Amino acid sequence: MEITRRDFLKKSGMVAGIAALGSEVVPISRVVSEVEAAVLGGEAMIPSTCVMCVNFCGIRVSRVNGVIRQIYGNPESPYNVGHMCPKGQSGIYDAYNPYRVKAPLKRTNPNKGPGEDPKWKEISWDEAFSIIAEKLNKIKNDDPRKLIWLHGHGKYLVQDKFPKALMKAFGTPNVVHRTTICEVARHTADELTWGYHAFLPDLDNCKYFLNFGGNYMEAGQWARWLDRKTLDAMENGMKNIVIEPRLSNSAAKADEWIPIKPATDMVFLLAMCNELITNGYVDEEFLITYTNAPNLVGSDGKFLRDGNGKELVWDRTSSSAKPYEGDVEPALTGSYTVDGKTYRTAFEVFREEVMDVTPEYAEGVCGVPADTIRRVAMEFGEEANIGATIVKDGHILRYRPVSIYTFRGLSTHEYGTQINRARWMVQMLVGNVDAVGGVQLHSAYKKPEFFDVAKCEYPPNRVDLQESVYFPQARHNVAQQVAYTLLDPSAYGLEYEPEMLIAYASNRVFSAPVLDQQIEAYKKPYTVVIDTILTEHADMADIVLPNKSYLECWHWAPTRFTVDTKHDAIRQPVVNTYNMPYQDFDIFMELAKRVGILDKFIEKINKDWKTDLAPGRKYTAEEMVAAIAKAKGKSLEYFKEHGLSKKVLTTEEIYLKGVEAKFKGAGKPKMQFYCENLVGTAEKVKQVVAENNITNLDISNIDMINAPLPKKEHAFPTGHEAPSDYDLYLITYKRMYLNQSGTALNPMLRHVAHDSDENFVLMNKATAAKKGIKDGDEVNVESRAGKIKARAKLIEGIRPDTVGISYHYGHWSTSMPDYAKKGVNPNWIIELHSDMISGMTNFNDTKVKVVKA
């Protein structure tokens, strides 16, 4: 639906002075006249950074007579360059929301759970801090690990370096972010392949772009950059193909939509590899000089090494196995005999494994015609221009104008890491990594330890089992696991039982699968919640501390880099609607002081941010922002005036500081075409399980899970093994309007957004007709995990064998208004089979049956 700026202003502007109305809900009709009466002349325009989603657009906030009138995009931002979406503009309501928590609350009803009224009692800040500090001090003196800290969107409010520093000073390792219920399999695949994470397509120079379910035209990360860059590139002749089961906004704006069966992207990608290799679209120079594809692999799946532990290749000059050093010329293909044993190059192992993954085989698995898969592969290979170079600013650069992008699309699966690895296999074959028009890496080989065999810790130190034998490669926390460990810590070998939990801007009890277990688990610890509204997790809390909204805070704000820019940014207060004395950082400082860890907290901050704060006193959030700005070489006054400090990258910085500097040539580390460390990890897991007699970890498929190369078996998740009467694949997705818990209370978005009052079960019209279901009918959706009731919405833009349900609906907090409770939460019916490598939650692997209610 098209909405003009004037239409949105009329429909969504907030009323002046709403704060004075307390808890009164103001009718939109009353809002309109107030907003239209605002005069632009003489207004204060305050630059800041949006946090209504995770794109962190630069903003300018118009304030007239002490009241926010409008939010605009900041044209100085290199990320959104003045653009602003309706959700960002609706951030006004974040400050003026009458449902905000306005004072510390203490629970008086000991019973917890959906439907239980906490019977809140307002208490003073001093009483709240005293109660919390007393409990924290007791735990600190006993075993600091008994404290758990959760944050979700809080990471992007205050940045997680601060809660991490606070918890390090306290002594607990249990700081758990939400990444495994977002995209972490993508990160882990990046880290296994090139030693860090985060990448972007070079859309200014790309000619052929494959997007596997990246939802940036709706609610994905990098949305406000990727959406316009993609459309600009298409205007300049780039072909854009979206491969996903549902016709999302991203697919609707593409040149072509390929509806693929959920979770089968692996086979599509491997079939592309087959076609590329068979037809000679292979950048051999890239594979030899940048990756470990030439390494010799034995029958045990491990590399051949010399007496010094150096990996060996087959030297074509001397016809012998040697380390890739000096004048050695590695062979990319073939089998070779060394000391009476046969070894193949890693590339040869991969080539032989994918030879039976033909487009015809893929058609049977993916539900995509073989001719389509073959055509996409051939077009990708042709457009890659293998061997071509281009001159930019005097530099001769590799030119490979093809790229693959994803976010949740390839990630939210039981084998999400391996599926994302397949995406890298295709791109390494054509050599587009850090090439002009290809895929640009962020900080290549920043952490070489990602190439090591995992620790496989047991007993685990962390409550989320990160880097333990249960999730060996998980380095970004395992959000959903906290609850299951809380239910029975000893079952996982935990040597302590958590007693207290602090949840900062996190609604974990609502956002992970198997909700009944999440709810039951989070009843156990004494819980403190820091948030702006009473979410489901706040409903389970014993103490709630109100936080200021992002338009009332000083923050050193997170930002999004682009291919050719990077920038630092701040948030600064525009108003203080309810005259609250504390924001998040102030709460951290006060708790640190009362628990006796203030100096340790400051010490950790100085280490993480390169600041020079003196010990011995609390610092305000403004002082903290000023100290970080100083460490970055800018004054606070500069940031207050501009909101950000930006840098445009040079051609050398964009294309020559990544793989060219870190991996190219003899004697250098190599990108992991073949992840031998996963072989070692599988062996270590088996050993730890046997030595400790661990019975709640199924390792029957451990070699397949930790395969050094992606395999077709990774296209068949456990959730798809449901009985035949579960005949439909369930997928989930984010709608732009409600992709953070706080926005569930935003009536402005519901007013301007068509059909956003509740979510629904997206069904293909033909499938629904066979089941006797009409548009708008109530239906029961049942999986092996549970059953929910929702309304059916019939469309043609979804596969006939697939249904879709969006997130962020179906709230049950007793403190939320009725409009926030509409719709359903699919987490009630999603089966949990987490990716063992990364810890990623498999949101898109469940099979269901749908019948008319």
Side-chain angles (χ1 to χ4, degrees):
M1 182 177 74
E2 295 267 328
I3 303 176
T4 67
R5 179 182 174 278
R6 180 168 177 79
D7 287 338
F8 180 73
L9 182 65
K10 284 183 177 180
K11 290 182 176 180
S12 66
M14 280 309 301
V15 64
I18 190 174
L21 299 175
S23 60
E24 178 185 352
V25 179
V26 181
I28 290 294
S29 60
R30 186 171 155 195
V31 172
V32 173
S33 60
E34 294 272 359
V35 172
E36 290 189 320
V39 179
L40 292 177
E43 66 183 313
M45 293 292 274
I46 303 169
S48 191
T49 306
C50 185
V51 75
M52 289 296 285
C53 76
V54 290
N55 283 293
F56 320 127
C57 292
I59 59 176
R60 295 178 304 151
V61 185
S62 167
R63 188 183 64 197
V64 179
N65 297 325
V67 177
I68 299 173
R69 295 293 185 172
Q70 182 61 293
I71 300 176
Y72 303 92
N74 186 348
E76 292 191 48
S77 168
Y79 175 75
N80 60 304
V81 289
H83 293 271
M84 201 67 196
C85 75
K87 184 169 181 175
Q89 291 177 319
S90 77
I92 298 171
Y93 194 78
D94 211 48
Y96 293 126
N97 178 0
Y99 290 96
R100 280 179 56 183
V101 185
K102 305 176 186 73
L105 302 174
K106 180 180 178 181
R107 183 184 206 92
T108 61
N109 177 10
N111 299 319
K112 297 181 178 181
E116 288 285 351
D117 183 354
K119 299 188 183 301
W120 298 116
K121 174 187 175 184
E122 283 196 14
I123 58 176
S124 69
W125 279 97
D126 185 67
E127 182 180 355
F129 282 134
S130 296
I131 293 171
I132 296 167
E134 181 181 355
K135 292 186 177 296
L136 287 174
N137 275 311
K138 181 180 177 182
I139 290 173
K140 182 166 67 76
N141 294 330
D142 176 19
D143 186 341
R145 295 177 299 174
K146 293 182 178 181
L147 173 65
I148 302 170
W149 178 286
L150 303 182
H151 57 247
H153 203 52
K155 171 180 180 178
Y156 307 119
L157 292 168
V158 78
Q159 295 218 36
D160 67 349
K161 283 185 180 179
F162 290 113
K164 284 180 177 178
L166 182 63
M167 292 298 101
K168 283 181 181 176
F170 184 82
T172 180
N174 290 316
V175 179
V176 186
H177 179 40
R178 70 177 181 200
T179 314
T180 54
I181 50 179
C182 189
E183 84 289 353
V184 77
R186 191 185 90 141
H187 290 346
T188 304
D190 296 356
E191 291 158 359
L192 286 168
T193 306
W194 48 272
Y196 202 57
H197 61 267
F199 62 87
L200 287 173
D202 183 12
L203 292 173
D204 285 342
N205 301 287
C206 188
K207 297 300 180 186
Y208 198 85
F209 183 47
L210 298 181
N211 173 8
F212 284 83
N215 195 12
Y216 53 79
M217 293 290 184
E218 294 181 29
Q221 293 190 20
W222 273 272
R224 298 291 77 79
W225 181 81
L226 277 168
D227 53 6
R228 56 190 176 80
K229 280 291 184 180
T230 300
L231 295 177
D232 289 347
M234 292 172 68
E235 287 287 326
N236 291 327
M238 182 188 80
K239 186 169 184 179
N240 175 19
I241 298 176
V242 174
I243 304 165
E244 61 182 11
R246 176 182 71 98
L247 184 66
S248 67
N249 284 2
S250 296
K253 292 181 180 294
D255 294 299
E256 183 178 355
W257 170 48
I258 299 176
I260 189 172
K261 186 185 297 183
T264 64
D265 313 80
M266 169 66 83
V267 169
F268 188 106
L269 290 161
L270 293 183
M272 284 188 66
C273 290
N274 179 322
E275 285 293 300
L276 291 170
I277 293 170
T278 300
N279 292 282
Y281 290 114
V282 176
D283 190 339
E284 294 191 8
E285 181 181 359
F286 181 84
L287 291 173
I288 290 171
T289 57
Y290 296 80
T291 82
N292 65 7
N295 282 19
L296 294 174
V297 180
S299 58
D300 60 356
K302 296 182 179 180
F303 292 145
L304 176 64
R305 288 177 167 80
D306 67 11
N308 295 316
K310 292 184 178 181
E311 300 160 6
L312 302 182
V313 300
W314 187 258
D315 179 22
R316 291 178 293 177
T317 302
S318 64
S319 295
S320 64
K322 290 184 176 181
Y324 181 22
E325 298 173 345
D327 296 329
V328 168
E329 295 185 12
L332 180 63
T333 61
S335 281
Y336 304 94
T337 301
V338 180
D339 295 332
K341 295 182 179 179
T342 301
Y343 296 88
R344 294 174 292 169
T345 66
F347 177 83
E348 186 70 22
V349 174
F350 181 66
R351 186 191 70 80
E352 292 177 10
E353 286 193 4
V354 300
M355 279 303 98
D356 64 344
V357 188
T358 63
E360 286 72 23
Y361 170 81
E363 177 177 347
V365 175
C366 304
V368 177
D371 288 346
T372 299
I373 298 171
R374 182 174 285 110
R375 170 178 56 81
V376 170
M378 296 298 286
E379 289 174 352
F380 193 85
E382 185 65 28
E383 291 288 353
N385 283 276
I386 293 171
T389 59
I390 190 171
V391 177
K392 281 183 174 288
D393 296 329
H395 298 285
I396 300 174
L397 306 169
R398 291 179 295 112
Y399 179 59
R400 306 287 184 274
V402 295
S403 189
I404 301 177
Y405 183 77
T406 191
F407 203 77
R408 284 173 64 88
L410 298 185
S411 301
T412 54
H413 300 289
E414 182 178 5
Y415 304 120
T417 299
Q418 291 285 11
I419 298 173
N420 273 280
R421 277 274 296 148
R423 168 177 51 85
W424 285 116
M425 303 307 287
V426 174
Q427 296 185 108
M428 284 187 284
L429 285 180
V430 300
N432 76 335
V433 186
D434 274 354
V436 176
V439 58
Q440 294 298 307
L441 308 186
H442 183 58
S443 303
Y445 205 54
K446 184 177 181 179
K447 293 191 175 182
E449 61 266 27
F450 289 142
F451 290 1
D452 296 338
V453 172
K455 292 192 296 186
C456 302
E457 181 182 74
Y458 192 87
N461 190 42
R462 293 174 54 96
V463 71
D464 67 340
L465 311 185
Q466 173 180 307
E467 295 184 87
S468 74
V469 69
Y470 293 94
F471 299 106
Q473 300 287 346
R475 291 182 170 92
H476 298 269
N477 316 153
V478 188
Q480 72 280 4
Q481 179 59 42
V482 175
Y484 312 123
T485 306
L486 278 172
L487 287 172
D488 190 357
S490 62
Y492 297 95
L494 213 67
E495 296 177 324
Y496 57 93
E497 183 156 354
E499 296 178 359
M500 187 174 179
L501 182 148
I502 301 176
Y504 163 57
S506 171
N507 198 10
R508 196 66 44 80
V509 74
F510 181 85
S511 59
V514 198
L515 282 178
D516 54 344
Q517 292 186 40
Q518 294 284 328
I519 292 165
E520 196 62 30
Y522 286 119
K523 291 178 182 179
K524 296 181 67 175
Y526 186 90
T527 298
V528 176
V529 164
I530 305 169
D531 216 327
T532 58
I533 62 171
L534 290 169
T535 64
E536 281 69 23
H537 213 133
D539 239 20
M540 306 274 285
D542 297 279
I543 295 281
V544 176
L545 298 180
N547 191 18
K548 292 182 180 179
S549 77
Y550 75 98
L551 295 171
E552 301 169 317
C553 286
W554 282 103
H555 286 144
W556 186 260
T559 59
R560 293 291 178 204
F561 67 91
T562 72
V563 168
D564 56 1
T565 68
K566 61 182 181 179
H567 67 289
D568 295 311
I570 67 163
R571 296 191 197 98
Q572 54 183 319
V574 182
V575 293
N576 186 355
T577 309
Y578 297 106
N579 296 314
M580 290 197 293
Y582 296 97
Q583 70 165 79
D584 36 32
F585 184 78
D586 305 323
I587 293 171
F588 301 171
M589 277 280 167
E590 182 64 25
L591 289 176
K593 179 183 177 182
R594 293 190 181 224
V595 182
I597 57 172
L598 182 60
D599 285 353
K600 284 186 178 180
F601 183 35
I602 292 170
E603 179 186 337
K604 299 293 183 184
I605 290 173
N606 283 336
K607 180 179 179 182
D608 291 344
W609 288 103
K610 313 301 181 191
T611 51
D612 57 359
L613 302 174
R617 73 172 182 91
K618 294 191 300 179
Y619 288 86
T620 66
E622 182 177 3
E623 288 175 320
M624 187 70 255
V625 171
I628 297 174
K630 177 184 174 184
K632 298 284 187 178
K634 292 282 186 180
S635 69
L636 179 61
E637 292 304 311
Y638 180 91
F639 278 100
K640 288 169 69 174
E641 179 181 353
H642 298 275
L644 55 89
S645 172
K646 62 186 176 183
K647 177 183 179 182
V648 177
L649 303 178
T650 66
T651 295
E652 183 179 6
E653 288 172 321
I654 297 169
Y655 298 109
L656 298 175
K657 296 294 186 180
V659 299
E660 299 291 336
K662 301 297 176 63
F663 299 127
K664 184 180 180 181
K668 292 280 190 72
K670 293 287 172 273
M671 290 182 67
Q672 292 208 120
F673 182 90
Y674 185 97
C675 288
E676 186 206 31
N677 58 325
L678 289 181
V679 178
T681 296
E683 289 183 345
K684 197 167 181 179
V685 168
K686 294 175 191 175
Q687 178 186 345
V688 172
V689 167
E691 289 176 348
N692 295 279
N693 193 29
I694 299 172
T695 58
N696 64 346
L697 179 59
D698 181 7
I699 60 170
S700 58
N701 292 323
I702 192 67
D703 292 325
M704 182 272 287
I705 293 169
N706 285 271
L709 293 164
K711 303 168 73 70
K712 61 185 179 183
E713 288 82 0
H714 297 129
F716 303 97
T718 304
H720 288 186
E721 297 172 1
S724 59
D725 57 328
Y726 295 92
D727 58 334
L728 297 171
Y729 299 94
L730 172 65
I731 62 169
T732 60
Y733 61 99
K734 293 181 177 181
R735 302 187 79 189
M736 174 184 172
Y737 316 113
L738 296 176
N739 67 347
Q740 264 74 45
S741 287
T743 58
L745 296 183
N746 198 321
M748 296 169 66
L749 288 170
R750 293 171 182 270
H751 186 69
V752 301
H754 174 66
D755 208 12
S756 68
D757 278 351
E758 61 182 312
N759 63 346
F760 28 71
V761 182
L762 288 181
M763 293 189 70
N764 184 278
K765 288 183 177 180
T767 302
K770 291 178 182 178
K771 295 178 178 289
I773 296 170
K774 297 179 181 179
D775 193 55
D777 281 350
E778 281 199 328
V779 296
N780 289 318
V781 186
E782 182 180 349
S783 72
R784 293 182 293 185
K787 181 192 293 186
I788 57 175
K789 182 182 289 186
R791 294 191 183 277
K793 185 174 182 64
L794 309 188
I795 61 173
E796 294 180 354
I798 195 168
R799 283 181 57 91
D801 58 3
T802 302
V803 294
I805 304 177
S806 66
Y807 272 109
H808 323 296
Y809 288 84
H811 287 271
W812 64 80
S813 169
T814 57
S815 301
M816 287 193 181
D818 288 342
Y819 64 75
K821 298 176 183 178
K822 293 181 178 180
V824 296
N825 185 338
N827 279 326
W828 290 107
I829 61 171
I830 290 174
E831 294 182 24
L832 182 67
H833 306 286
S834 299
D835 177 12
M836 184 177 177
I837 297 178
S838 67
M840 182 73 212
T841 309
N842 59 315
F843 287 110
N844 290 335
D845 288 346
T846 299
K847 293 202 73 175
V848 299
K849 51 187 174 184
V850 179
V851 297
K852 188 173 179 179

